Amino acid sequence: MAEFTMELNDEQKEVRDWLHGFAADVIRPAAAEWDEREETPWPVIQEAAKVGIYSLDFYAQQFFDPTGLGIPMAMEELFWGDAGIALSIVGTGLAAVGVLANGTEEQIGTWIPQMYGDQNDVKVAAFCSSEPDAGSDVASMRTRAVYDEAKDEWVINGTKTWATNGGIANVHVVVAVVDPELGSKGHASFIVPPGTPGLTQGQKFKKHGIRASHTAEVVLDGVRVPGSCLLGGKEKLDERLARAREKAKTGGERVKNAAMATFEASRPAVGAMAVGTARAAYEVALEYATTREQFGRPIIDNQGVAFQLADMRTQIDAARLLVWRASWMAVNSRPFTAAEGSMSKLFASETAKKVTAQAIQILGGNGYTREYPVERMHRDSAIYTIFEGTSEIQRLVIARTLAGMPIR
């Protein structure tokens, strides 16, 4: 077990500086354009692929960092560059992780390379879980997958929403209900290969922020996939469903808490994204405050501005520490006895909204225009309190954990 530390080692610093350089030189100069276009920034993704950032190997190296700091460090630097473009770069990772977590070695080797493509022909993948009536309430999912034993095929019907890369992806990973009586325990994940009939893009959302990231509905109408596209295989699914049916009778609440631990472990990464956006806005505000003069002196000489900057920096550092603690706990299999994963996501996301708003205030009228990036950063920051569980859901998880109550 790696000791918890707030000091990056030499290798981590090298990776951080490399990512920061890419964010500064490639992502930031393109940010305003792709925000206005509201389109997937394919040229930037291709550049990320050429240097090795857009690849499974890179994210695997960070994920298996024994200190737990690899992923949050990478997320912070990329999202410091721009949240919309960064999400376009890391969005495929959601689907890849779904396959890594549940797939067989053959499925991993077959499908993950197709998710990324190569530097000359980059691809993206989509993870499709949320539905119009099932966001935080995953037990209400309606998309159904029914096994056709005669053809060894699964038939999937339903509509997914808020899918990053939905409809434009080369490979879709779809979560569907296979046993409605088991609630969230009756779900399974399926690969939908490229060009599969019946899968279409529904509404593409025109969003308040993260506009460079493609978000859309995915409609599945009689989609048929081979039995080999069930992640983990049918034998493993049948065994898991049988265990779930038994535990539902005797220890269902314990199963729910164990499942929640998995969600807890993923939330610090979103917190790190929020830290990156908050830090970017703070740095713009700090530079502006030290160079903008009013009444013959820099505006940072005014306590009203200086104290805001002091609070902003304090909140950012506190958020990062919560994210790093939770990330270290997750990689070292430490139990989240106080919902530390949700704590990190809650505090970091709320900090991003607050800090970006303060940055606009410090820049005054300039901050409200698109000539300065803090306006875009403020719009982008709103998403952190919504996806991967709203702030209200995080508070509910924390409160119920502290009270020793089951999390539903």
Side-chain angles (χ1 to χ4, degrees), residues 162-197:
W162 310 122
T164 299
N165 299 328
I168 66 170
N170 195 49
V171 176
H172 290 76
V173 177
V174 176
V175 182
V177 178
V178 294
D179 189 332
E181 294 183 359
L182 291 176
S184 61
K185 288 292 156 188
H187 297 173
S189 297
F190 300 85
I191 292 286
V192 181
T196 299

Side-chain angles (χ1 to χ4, degrees), residues 154-269:
W154 288 89
V155 184
I156 308 174
N157 286 282
T159 299
K160 295 296 182 178
T161 194
W162 310 122
T164 299
N165 299 328
I168 66 170
N170 195 49
V171 176
H172 290 76
V173 177
V174 176
V175 182
V177 178
V178 294
D179 189 332
E181 294 183 359
L182 291 176
S184 61
K185 288 292 156 188
H187 297 173
S189 297
F190 300 85
I191 292 286
V192 181
T196 299
L199 185 148
T200 57
Q201 178 183 308
Q203 175 187 6
K204 177 187 175 182
F205 296 104
K206 297 182 72 67
K207 305 187 297 296
H208 176 64
I210 54 167
R211 295 180 183 178
S213 174
H214 176 97
T215 310
E217 290 181 330
V218 174
V219 179
L220 303 114
D221 183 9
V223 170
R224 284 183 169 268
V225 298
S228 59
C229 286
L230 166 65
L231 289 180
K234 192 166 187 308
E235 182 178 349
K236 183 178 178 181
L237 172 65
D238 290 341
E239 292 175 356
R240 179 168 62 81
L241 294 178
R243 289 196 302 270
R245 294 184 187 103
E246 184 63 29
K247 288 182 179 180
K249 300 175 183 177
T250 59
E253 299 298 352
R254 288 193 294 273
V255 173
K256 289 175 183 174
N257 285 332
M260 184 54 63
T262 301
F263 290 109
E264 279 288 287
S266 70
R267 285 171 174 154

Side-chain angles (χ1 to χ4, degrees), residues 102-115:
N102 301 297
T104 64
E105 289 187 8
E106 182 179 358
Q107 289 170 330
I108 292 170
T110 298
W111 296 112
I112 290 183
Q114 295 187 49
M115 293 180 174

Side-chain angles (χ1 to χ4, degrees), residues 18 30 54 60 63 71 73 80 114-115 117 119 180 191 205 207 228 247 270 304 318 339 342 358 360:
W18 172 54
Y54 185 70
F63 183 82
I71 288 294
M73 176 193 65
W80 172 89
Q114 295 187 49
M115 293 180 174
Q119 59 183 268
I191 292 286
F205 296 104
K207 305 187 297 296
S228 59
K247 288 182 179 180
V270 179
S342 284
Q358 288 175 303
I360 290 177

